[in-house]
Amino acid sequence: MIPPRPDTSGRRPPPTGTVDRRRFDLCRFGHPGASTSDMMRRGLGEPSDPDGPTRGGGWTPSSTEGERIMTQTQDRRLGWLGTGRMGVAMAERLLDAGEELVVWNRTKAKTRPLADRGCQVADGIGELAERCDVVFVVVTASADLLEVVTGPAGLLRGGSSRPSVIVDFSTVSAEASAEASAAAAAVGVQFLASPISGNPDMVAEGTAAIVASGPDETFEQVRHYLDHIAPSVTYAGPGQTSLLVKLCHNLMLGMTTQALVEVTALAEKGGVARADFLAFINGSVLGSTLTRHKGQALAARDYRPTVTTTMLRKDYDLGLGAARALEVPMPVAATVHQVIHTAISLGYAEADYASLFEVAARAAGLRHEEEGTGEQEA
């Protein structure tokens, strides 16, 4: 028999609302038809809570409120939905911090790494919802998020047996996230959109970053767990603002990688060894975590996937869709989008997105006798 969940009463329920909102009003400000004054009041520091000022759209609790939040986070039972490579790496950070998890994945075999570490494996999403107060979600696409949250067998379909909080780490569309959030709010479940930057190796190394948005109180309740997963945790405000931040991040990721592969191809065609050129870049003012990680992949032409080219294309589809909705020209990103399409058509769909180098190398007339590791058959 499943024991009753600890009492977490006393929480301020999140506001209910519909999903029929124009463009990105919800994404930006948390409600339709928001004015500039709304933005200033809610996002740029004017007090919106009588107990304390906002900080960048967030909220600083009073000492009494902070103590209440800490009490609520104690003895909470945690669930994890989605145990692909990224999900496992993130969940293991919580395990390393001493937390216990109940886990579920559509393909049960993928829960094995966490089961081997002592996690209980739920037979279905309904059992996960029934047993857990907070459920963390890591899925690939917008449709997947809606299926596991609002679908017939989703987290919200269990009557009284629902989690109190859903934290979604997925990079999905703002519209899908808003739909899931509104459905959760309608039945008294709090929802936080918290996409993560990094790949499984970076998560394991402790170099990932999380950006979160949603009710400020919800963020403060789960901040403790987010800090275990990533050393950098940023609250971006209400609604689905974190997803726009993450899409901007991934657009820049692709553009930076494209710049790196182009200059690497130029240096190589001019007679400079790739490894030597990339060592210089990494030791210069241009060196970064990205150039170091992708520089190693480019030097060895090692395209074993951390993030696949197909996944990057999905993020570009979403990011450029947001740009169209907000009437923001992005000519460089649009060009990179086409290069990503080209890499996929050449057989690199499931290879790491560092395989964009192969497109640049072919365009430059470079010929490599060996095939890159991880290259997919066209």
Side-chain angles (χ1 to χ4, degrees):
M1 180 176 178
I2 297 171
R5 285 196 296 241
D7 181 17
T8 55
S9 62
R11 291 188 312 276
R12 187 172 60 199
T16 59
T18 63
V19 188
D20 184 16
R21 295 168 167 87
R22 290 178 59 85
R23 288 190 177 178
F24 279 75
D25 283 348
L26 178 65
C27 173
R28 288 179 290 178
F29 310 124
H31 64 89
S35 66
T36 302
S37 61
D38 291 326
M39 177 178 69
M40 294 296 291
R41 183 174 63 255
R42 302 189 64 179
L44 297 179
E46 182 177 322
S48 58
D49 188 304
D51 293 330
T54 61
R55 48 171 175 76
W59 163 72
T60 302
S62 64
S63 59
T64 302
E65 187 72 5
E67 290 172 1
R68 183 174 68 80
I69 289 172
M70 288 303 295
T71 300
Q72 288 177 356
T73 61
Q74 293 174 356
D75 300 324
R76 282 193 158 186
R77 295 186 295 182
L78 307 182
W80 197 277
L81 192 159
T83 58
R85 291 183 65 240
M86 191 68 169
V88 167
M90 295 169 68
E92 286 182 333
R93 299 280 298 182
L94 286 178
L95 297 178
D96 292 342
E99 303 291 351
E100 297 181 356
L101 295 173
V102 180
V103 303
W104 181 85
N105 193 76
R106 183 183 290 113
T107 304
K108 190 172 184 179
K110 291 185 177 181
T111 64
R112 182 63 183 271
L114 297 179
D116 288 346
R117 292 199 54 179
C119 294
Q120 299 178 52
V121 179
D123 289 331
I125 297 178
E127 181 184 346
L128 192 71
E130 185 175 3
R131 297 179 63 180
C132 301
D133 303 294
V134 179
V135 175
F136 302 99
V137 176
V138 186
V139 295
T140 301
S142 299
D144 298 327
L145 175 65
L146 294 176
E147 178 184 349
V148 301
V149 174
T150 67
L155 291 169
L156 301 181
R157 299 304 183 190
S160 60
S161 300
R162 301 187 183 99
S164 301
V165 180
I166 297 172
V167 180
D168 178 35
F169 292 117
S170 315
T171 301
V172 297
S173 72
E175 292 86 353
S177 180
E179 183 174 343
S181 179
V187 292
V189 175
Q190 300 173 75
F191 186 95
L192 199 70
S194 304
I196 185 168
S197 166
N199 58 48
D201 293 337
M202 295 174 68
V203 171
E205 293 168 3
T207 57
I210 291 172
V211 57
S213 64
D216 45 18
E217 182 180 345
T218 305
F219 172 73
E220 294 295 342
Q221 287 183 32
V222 301
R223 172 71 187 261
H224 170 72
Y225 306 122
L226 304 185
D227 286 336
H228 289 324
I229 296 171
S232 174
V233 177
T234 302
Y235 178 64
Q240 273 56 52
T241 50
S242 61
L243 289 162
L244 184 58
V245 172
K246 179 63 190 303
L247 291 176
C248 290
H249 168 281
N250 285 7
L251 290 171
M252 185 173 177
L253 181 76
M255 290 185 278
T256 304
T257 301
Q258 181 61 22
L260 182 63
V261 303
E262 288 183 13
V263 294
T264 301
L266 173 61
E268 182 178 359
K269 190 165 186 181
V272 182
R274 288 193 306 277
D276 292 340
F277 172 71
L278 291 163
F280 168 73
I281 291 295
N282 288 329
S284 75
V285 69
L286 298 177
S288 67
T289 300
L290 176 64
T291 65
R292 286 188 289 274
H293 276 264
K294 293 309 166 190
Q296 293 175 3
L298 295 182
R301 295 177 64 234
D302 180 357
Y303 305 134
R304 287 173 293 183
T306 54
V307 174
T308 67
T309 311
T310 297
M311 292 176 68
L312 184 61
R313 180 171 66 176
K314 180 262 293 184
D315 293 343
Y316 261 66
D317 290 341
L318 293 173
L320 290 174
R324 283 191 295 273
L326 295 171
E327 301 293 353
V328 176
M330 301 196 74
V332 177
T335 299
V336 174
H337 196 205
Q338 294 304 308
V339 177
I340 294 169
H341 284 312
T342 303
I344 290 172
S345 72
L346 291 174
Y348 294 95
E350 300 308 314
D352 190 87
Y353 67 91
S355 58
L356 292 176
F357 174 71
E358 297 300 320
V359 179
R362 294 189 189 197
L366 291 171
R367 295 291 181 264
H368 299 112
E369 293 181 1
E370 77 286 0
E371 297 293 344
T373 304
E375 181 175 359
Q376 303 297 301
E377 294 296 330

